[in-house]
Amino acid sequence: MMFEKKDYDKEILNINKRSKKHTCLYSDCLGKTIYSHAISKSISIEKISENGHVKKFSPIRHGDEKIPKISDVGINEATAFNGFCHLHDGFFNDIDEREINNLRDLFLQIYRSISCVYYYEQIGDVLYPDIDIDEAVKIIVNNQITKDEIDLTQDKLYKVKGFLSDEMARANNIKNSELNKRKEEINRVRNYFLNNIHELDECKYTNRKLNEKGTELQTIKFNDFDYALFYYITDFQVPVAINTMHNLNYDGRNFLFFYIVIPYEASNIIIGVMENNLPPEYYDKIITLIDDAFKNRLSVLNFIETLVISSPDETYFKPCIINNMRKEKLDFILNDFMFLHEFLSFDKYFLEYDVSIFDELRTSIISEGINVFNESELDKIHTLPMRESIDVRKNKMMSKIMRENITIKSLKNDL
């Protein structure tokens, strides 16, 4: 095998393990972490739980195949991570005990949520292992990689083992550098919001109240920062929690988008943090799509469903949403969850998902008769659109993975 062998599932479980102790993520703290939530258990996760559980997309591995599956997750585990020590977990008491309603609360939640993303970036080291240099050279010499792929004859391969080893070591370094750059960027973003919390605590500017529920989308830009944020507070509950980061590549550069959907008793707060300097040909499109997403209840629901389909691994559902879904439809959505590449690209970003996930809520909103809607909004409940075959979708997914895997890309560039 060309890459260092790793037991992916075992290593990821080890990162997630409740008893795993790390150094606290709060600046300059050396305390040991406790297992705590990115989204409040008591005022959020519990509000969408049934019998102490929520539902989560948790595919299982069968040999080299991943099988789609939805599993029960206890409320003590949902959105939990080993990020902060006991002292600094108390830093978030305000947003654990009451709904977010002011600027400081908003920044606290963003800081905690992005800290969770930062913590799980460790998984990148598991998903993108180093090339096993000795094994890779052996494979090349044995002609397991064809001449056409790297344009080297068999004789030359024997003579240039040293060259190949150097190039593969360089590829490993490039890959690790890319992973570290992303971690550093995530860390920069989260610490910006921590600094803003400190400035609010020092009364350097006003800790103003947030907009009322169900009013309008609010955007906040910063003079000294290259990211902006938006938030919207609904006046109805969508029974889902999301804490995710999207990493979109354009012309060799990565753009990070952070999204948080927090459920309360009768509402949600939806938060987004994204770069100001998006690719020019996509900037207007994305901004318009976000603006349009918060014009009415139905458009908000569509936006959240679009977030769900592009963030299945970081989404937690109220169990009845899954349990009441007909099997054919659930299988269809689970298969879509498996092909994330079909929904996460600049060309397709934020295009409305074409299947209803929250059927009962969608029906209720439409029956209110407040919003004008297209018949297709009802069709989403009962009709499943056409998709390519699973084999075709798998082949396209593998092709995209091979094109965008940072280890393989760096190796091709060097060779």
Side-chain angles (χ1 to χ4, degrees):
M1 192 167 182
M2 190 165 170
F3 296 97
E4 292 181 358
K5 187 172 177 59
K6 289 180 181 284
D7 185 334
Y8 298 108
D9 292 336
K10 183 177 178 181
E11 295 210 27
I12 289 171
L13 280 173
N14 187 48
I15 291 170
N16 292 342
K17 194 158 55 175
R18 190 184 188 96
S19 59
K20 187 84 172 176
K21 298 297 181 186
H22 296 272
T23 302
C24 178
L25 293 178
Y26 192 88
S27 297
D28 300 323
C29 179
L30 299 177
K32 292 302 176 185
T33 57
I34 62 170
Y35 201 59
S36 58
H37 294 75
I39 293 175
S40 171
K41 180 180 82 170
S42 61
I43 65 167
S44 294
I45 300 299
E46 282 187 356
K47 302 307 179 189
I48 60 169
S49 69
E50 294 172 354
N51 300 316
H53 290 82
V54 291
K55 292 279 189 181
K56 184 178 186 292
F57 177 61
S58 305
I60 55 174
R61 194 174 289 278
H62 182 71
D64 291 332
E65 289 287 312
K66 285 178 75 176
I67 311 299
K69 183 184 176 185
I70 286 273
S71 301
D72 288 322
V73 177
I75 58 174
N76 290 325
E77 280 72 44
T79 80
F81 70 116
N82 295 293
F84 295 97
C85 66
H86 181 75
L87 173 65
H88 288 116
D89 186 58
F91 187 53
F92 306 103
N93 282 347
D94 283 351
I95 57 174
D96 279 332
E97 295 170 358
R98 58 171 169 75
E99 297 181 12
I100 293 170
N101 66 17
N102 60 49
L103 209 54
R104 186 180 189 276
D105 292 347
L106 186 66
F107 291 168
L108 268 177
Q109 183 60 60
I110 293 170
Y111 172 64
R112 179 159 67 170
S113 286
I114 298 181
S115 292
C116 180
V117 171
Y118 180 70
Y119 171 80
Y120 282 113
E121 275 297 294
Q122 297 173 82
I123 292 174
D125 298 330
V126 178
L127 297 179
Y128 300 106
D130 280 352
I131 298 168
D132 185 327
I133 294 173
D134 291 339
E135 187 64 24
V137 170
K138 188 191 302 182
I139 289 171
I140 293 173
V141 169
N142 290 334
N143 207 25
Q144 296 295 313
I145 294 181
T146 67
K147 178 190 169 191
D148 287 340
E149 287 178 310
I150 57 173
D151 199 27
L152 290 175
T153 66
Q154 190 75 3
D155 288 341
K156 287 180 182 176
L157 288 173
Y158 281 110
K159 296 175 183 177
V160 296
K161 280 186 180 180
F163 165 79
L164 288 171
S165 296
D166 288 345
E167 294 306 304
M168 289 178 192
R170 188 176 296 120
N172 282 339
N173 289 337
I174 292 171
K175 179 266 299 182
N176 291 326
S177 174
E178 288 297 310
L179 288 176
N180 286 332
K181 272 188 209 172
R182 189 165 71 197
K183 289 178 191 173
E184 288 167 6
E185 179 65 2
I186 296 167
N187 197 36
R188 183 177 77 89
V189 175
R190 77 183 189 95
N191 281 324
Y192 179 82
F193 287 98
L194 177 62
N195 292 335
N196 271 267
I197 294 165
H198 291 326
E199 290 185 357
L200 283 168
D201 290 343
E202 295 163 6
C203 298
K204 291 188 176 178
Y205 60 98
T206 305
N207 182 26
R208 61 180 175 80
K209 290 284 187 183
L210 300 188
N211 286 358
E212 294 295 320
K213 295 175 181 177
T215 52
E216 62 181 12
L217 176 70
Q218 180 68 50
T219 301
I220 301 174
K221 294 188 174 181
F222 306 91
N223 293 329
D224 59 345
F225 196 45
D226 49 348
Y227 283 73
L229 74 87
F230 67 84
Y231 74 86
Y232 182 85
I233 306 175
T234 69
D235 56 0
F236 65 102
Q237 189 209 60
V238 183
V240 69
I242 303 173
N243 193 82
T244 192
M245 177 186 78
H246 296 166
N247 178 21
L248 271 62
N249 186 280
Y250 177 80
D251 198 23
R253 192 193 154 196
N254 292 324
F255 293 83
L256 304 183
F257 301 76
F258 304 91
Y259 300 103
I260 312 155
V261 178
I262 300 175
Y264 293 124
E265 183 72 47
S267 64
N268 299 73
I269 182 167
I270 303 158
I271 305 167
V273 178
M274 55 196 291
E275 285 193 56
N276 291 322
N277 302 316
L278 298 175
E281 56 265 54
Y282 294 107
Y283 180 86
D284 288 341
K285 172 189 167 187
I286 290 174
I287 297 304
T288 299
L289 285 170
I290 292 173
D291 285 342
D292 290 345
F294 298 95
K295 292 192 180 302
N296 56 58
R297 285 183 167 193
L298 196 55
S299 63
V300 170
L301 178 61
N302 285 335
F303 179 80
I304 290 178
E305 288 182 336
T306 300
L307 272 184
V308 168
I309 199 62
S310 56
S311 319
D313 295 320
E314 295 87 26
T315 296
Y316 300 84
F317 301 92
K318 188 171 186 175
C320 65
I321 301 300
I322 303 301
N323 295 337
N324 294 342
M325 195 177 289
R326 72 182 193 275
K327 184 178 185 305
E328 180 190 13
K329 185 176 193 177
L330 179 58
D331 289 345
F332 184 95
I333 291 172
L334 289 181
N335 277 324
D336 277 354
F337 282 174
M338 296 293 288
F339 298 106
L340 194 57
H341 69 286
E342 296 178 4
F343 307 95
L344 264 185
S345 70
F346 272 113
D347 287 335
K348 299 174 182 177
Y349 204 45
F350 281 147
L351 295 182
E352 282 184 10
Y353 187 44
D354 52 0
V355 180
S356 170
I357 297 173
F358 302 96
D359 292 352
E360 186 177 337
L361 180 56
R362 178 176 297 275
T363 302
S364 173
I365 291 172
I366 289 174
S367 67
E368 290 170 356
I370 297 172
N371 305 134
V372 176
F373 67 92
N374 190 294
E375 284 298 324
S376 63
E377 295 294 349
L378 271 176
D379 291 342
K380 287 182 184 180
I381 297 175
H382 306 292
T383 306
L384 297 178
M386 294 293 295
R387 295 282 193 263
E388 293 178 312
S389 72
I390 295 296
D391 286 341
V392 169
R393 295 172 85 182
K394 279 184 181 177
N395 288 336
K396 288 184 176 180
M397 178 177 69
M398 292 308 300
S399 175
K400 182 176 172 64
I401 288 171
M402 294 299 287
R403 285 197 312 272
E404 295 186 0
N405 182 290
I406 54 179
T407 311
I408 294 171
K409 277 202 304 186
S410 55
L411 178 60
K412 283 180 178 178
N413 290 339
D414 281 345
L415 293 178

